[in-house]
Each structure stands twice: as structure tokens, then as C-alpha cells.
């Protein structure tokens, strides 16, 4: 019997490596990555090369403030005095490591190919993986910020002035009613701002972030409307979305579960105010490819990431609950 008859008409690769593997591994994790929450609140400069694999180390460079004393008035040919810039570095090891294997059933893919739907099917697989990774990265980074924030920047007697930004045992209660709730949230946000001012963390030209849980952002809408009186296309009165800035912060609204928990029978929420350069985030996907088994096709790979706080004194956290 001729070999071509043994192979049969359907004996070919349904998912060519060069077509789909390249498409997924080189596009999915670059496309729209900046839309994730993490890159917007983690700007610490890091030094790394090539792939970031499990066990690799990453060095973050930190600095405190711009220093205008570096520039001195001189007369004629007078030489300026020698000065230095104080920099610190923190070396960390990538320890978050996961493997994944996603099955794409052969019979489903074969049927979809006949119907001309294979490409949207695989694109849906890609989007699911992409969105799941973004969620995982955001949860990880927000958790690090909560745990590693300076204890002086949180609690019921925080900072030099002893301001109250709440604690899990004694959270700030946001009253019912939009106006009353907004007024109390305004107090909380200005207290967070005060804590960062005391730490010289609000002087980076607007490079600070305020991360609000979705419910807190909703209760803050009256303040936001007051701050957005004009009628631009992105006006909060028109879009119902957070404005770009709020009390000097770039504002972010998120429904990430790590910003809420139940403590002593109360649902509490965390609000994070931070200098973006106070934390860093790196990630990489490797060994990422399509693999064909006897009956099914698999998308396999490994993922590693690191979320790190390098300046905990530049992160302030409030704890609230809603009446």
C-alpha cells in the first residue's frame, strides 16, 4: 500500500508551530500590556537582561528626591565643589514560578477549522491566558504593597501628626449617602496625601498613584464630579469613570480581590497611595509553545514574576468599611 494512502487525507499538522506558536509567544504578552494595573504603579528602575527565569536576580535602583544643591553658583573660572548623588540598590530573586498546560481538544479544533472558526477559537484561548496573567500579576503586586508598606504610614495613629487612616481592627466607617460618603472619603484621601508629603514622596511631578477599590471609587463620585467641572470628552460627568488625577494622584479604580477582606465580621477595603517609583515589577514567559499529543493539542509554558517594594516609606495605606 502506498504511503500516502496510509497517511490519509487528514494526516497533517492542524496547528502549525510556525503559525500559532510564534503568534502567541511573541504577541500575546506584548499586546495591551500597558493596560494592566501593575505597570502603571510600579516604576522602580530595574537592571536585567534577556530572559527572566526562576531563580534569577534583579537589581532595583532607588533614589529619594531631586537635589538642586548639586548645582552651585560659581564666579569666572572657579571650580564647583565636588558633590555626590546618593543611590541605593536592592537585589531580589524571582521566586513566583508557575507552569501551565492548556488543552485544545483536537476534535473541537478540527470541526472549527472546517467551519472557518479556528483562528477566533485560538485567539480566545490567548485572551483568556493573557487576562489571567494580568490578574495574577496585579494581585501579587498589590499584595506586596499592602504587606511591605511602612507601618508608620498606616493605622489609627499614623505619621508625625497621628492621623487616622484606619486599621483592620478599627477601620474608618464610610457613611451611607453619596454626599456623606464622599466627604469622609475625601478626608481619608487627604490624610494619605499628608502621610506621603511627610515622607517627601509627593514631589515627583505627579508620578504618584491612588488605587481605589471599585466600591470606594463609586462612593467618591461626588468629589470627583466637583473636581471635573469642564465638559471634555473624558469628563467624569459624561463617562462616569475616574478622572486622571485626584488630589495630586493618578487615580486607578480596580476590583482586584486583594484590596478587600473580611475581618471580625466586617468587609473592609484598602486604599493605597504610593510614589510609583517606590515599587518595581518584572515578569517573563518562557518555554512557551504548542505541543501535540496523541489526540489533543496543548499550549504549555512557564511564567515567573517578581513584585517588590524598594521604598516602603513612600507607600501609605488606609483601611475603610462601608456602613
Amino acid at each position: 500500500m502506498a504511503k500516502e494512502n496510509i497517511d490519509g487525507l487528514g494526516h497533517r499538522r492542524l496547528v502549525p508551530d510556525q503559525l500559532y506558536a510564534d503568534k502567541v509567544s511573541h504577541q500575546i504578552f506584548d499586546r495591551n500590556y500597558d493596560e494592566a494595573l501593575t505597570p502603571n504603579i510600579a516604576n522602580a528602575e530595574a537592571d536585567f537582561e534577556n530572559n527572566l527565569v526562576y531563580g534569577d536576580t534583579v537589581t532595583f535602583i532607588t533614589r529619594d528626591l531631586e537635589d538642586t544643591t548639586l548645582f552651585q553658583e560659581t564666579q569666572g573660572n572657579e571650580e564647583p565643589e565636588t558633590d555626590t548623588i546618593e543611590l541605593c540598590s536592592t537585589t531580589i530573586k524571582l521566586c513566583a514560578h508557575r507552569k501551565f498546560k492548556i488543552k485544545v481538544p483536537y476534535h473541537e479544533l478540527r470541526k472549527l477549522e472546517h467551519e472557518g472558526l479556528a483562528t477566533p477559537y485560538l485567539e480566545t484561548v490567548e485572551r483568556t491566558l493573557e487576562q489571567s496573567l494580568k490578574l495574577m500579576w496585579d494581585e501579587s503586586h498589590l499584595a506586596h504593597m499592602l504587606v511591605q508598606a511602612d507601618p508608620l504610614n498606616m493605622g489609627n495613629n499614623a505619621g508625625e501628626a497621628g492621623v487616622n487612616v484606619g486599621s483592620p481592627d478599627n477601620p474608618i466607617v464610610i457613611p451611607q449617602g453619596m454626599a456623606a460618603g464622599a466627604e469622609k472619603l475625601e478626608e481619608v484621601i487627604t490624610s494619605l496625601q499628608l502621610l506621603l508629603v511627610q515622607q517627601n514622596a509627593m514631589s515627583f511631578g505627579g508620578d504618584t498613584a491612588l488605587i481605589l477599590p471599585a466600591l470606594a471609587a463609586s462612593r467618591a463620585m461626588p468629589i470627583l464630579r466637583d473636581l471635573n467641572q469642564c465638559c471634555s470628552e473624558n469628563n467624569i460627568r459624561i463617562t462616569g469613570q475616574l478622572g486622571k488625577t485626584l488630589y495630586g494622584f493618578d487615580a486607578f479604580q480596580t476590583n482586584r480581590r486583594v484590596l478587600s477582606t473580611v475581618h471580625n465580621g466586617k468587609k473592609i477595603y484598602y486604599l493605597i497611595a504610593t510614589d510609583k517609583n517606590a515599587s518595581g515589577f518584572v515578569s517573563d514567559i518562557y518555554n512557551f509553545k504548542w505541543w501535540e499529543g496523541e489526540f489533543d493539542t496543548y499550549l504549555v509554558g512557564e511564567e515567573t514574576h517578581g513584585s517588590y517594594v524598594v521604598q516602603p516609606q513612600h507607600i501609605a495605606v488606609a483601611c475603610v468599611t462601608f456602613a
Side-chain angles (χ1 to χ4, degrees), residues 25 27 32 59 76 145 177-178 182 215-216 228 238 251 268 270 278 283 295 302 305 311 320:
S25 61
Q27 293 183 17
N32 297 330
T59 301
M145 295 177 76
M178 293 295 284
L215 181 55
N228 287 267
I238 297 173
I268 61 175
Y270 294 103
S283 68
F295 299 108
E302 297 180 64
H305 71 269
Q311 290 178 290
V320 304

Side-chain angles (χ1 to χ4, degrees), residues 138-180:
D138 286 349
E139 293 277 357
S140 170
H141 189 68
L142 291 173
H144 272 84
M145 295 177 76
L146 288 172
V147 171
Q148 297 183 27
D150 194 321
L152 292 176
N153 291 340
M154 58 180 72
N156 300 110
N157 190 32
E160 300 170 4
V163 301
N164 181 15
V165 287
S167 65
D169 289 328
N170 189 23
I172 294 176
V173 179
I174 308 300
Q176 294 183 356
M178 293 295 284

Side-chain angles (χ1 to χ4, degrees), residues 63-66 200-208 275 277 314:
R63 61 184 175 86
D64 285 330
L65 295 169
E66 292 84 353
N200 295 319
M202 287 293 293
S203 53
F204 289 93
D207 219 9
T208 51
D275 158 27
N277 295 280
H314 286 187

Side-chain angles (χ1 to χ4, degrees), residues 82-220:
T82 301
D83 210 332
T84 59
I85 297 178
E86 296 295 331
L87 298 177
C88 297
S89 65
T90 301
T91 300
I92 54 85
K93 180 175 288 188
L94 292 175
C95 54
H97 177 242
R98 295 174 174 83
K99 295 181 179 180
F100 54 85
K101 183 177 181 180
I102 301 171
K103 182 172 72 172
V104 182
Y106 228 33
H107 67 281
E108 290 186 20
L109 186 59
R110 188 181 182 90
K111 179 181 178 182
L112 289 166
E113 278 197 333
H114 283 294
E115 296 174 354
L117 296 174
T119 296
Y121 177 86
L122 292 173
E123 286 178 348
T124 302
V125 173
E126 296 170 17
R127 284 196 301 272
T128 301
L129 182 58
E130 177 186 27
Q131 292 166 357
S132 300
L133 284 169
K134 285 181 179 179
L135 172 63
M136 180 175 65
W137 293 335
D138 286 349
E139 293 277 357
S140 170
H141 189 68
L142 291 173
H144 272 84
M145 295 177 76
L146 288 172
V147 171
Q148 297 183 27
D150 194 321
L152 292 176
N153 291 340
M154 58 180 72
N156 300 110
N157 190 32
E160 300 170 4
V163 301
N164 181 15
V165 287
S167 65
D169 289 328
N170 189 23
I172 294 176
V173 179
I174 308 300
Q176 294 183 356
M178 293 295 284
E183 183 178 355
K184 179 58 71 173
L185 275 169
E186 185 175 16
E187 291 179 16
V188 175
I189 294 169
T190 53
S191 293
L192 289 171
Q193 183 190 57
L194 173 61
L195 292 175
L196 292 192
V197 167
Q198 291 176 352
Q199 298 283 9
N200 295 319
M202 287 293 293
S203 53
F204 289 93
D207 219 9
T208 51
L210 177 67
I211 302 100
L212 295 170
L215 181 55
S218 175
R219 291 290 187 94

Side-chain angles (χ1 to χ4, degrees), residues 64-85:
D64 285 330
L65 295 169
E66 292 84 353
D67 189 353
T68 57
T69 64
L70 296 171
F71 305 98
Q72 305 157 23
E73 293 287 347
T74 58
Q75 301 294 327
N77 294 327
E78 178 186 353
E79 288 291 329
E81 295 181 5
T82 301
D83 210 332
T84 59
I85 297 178

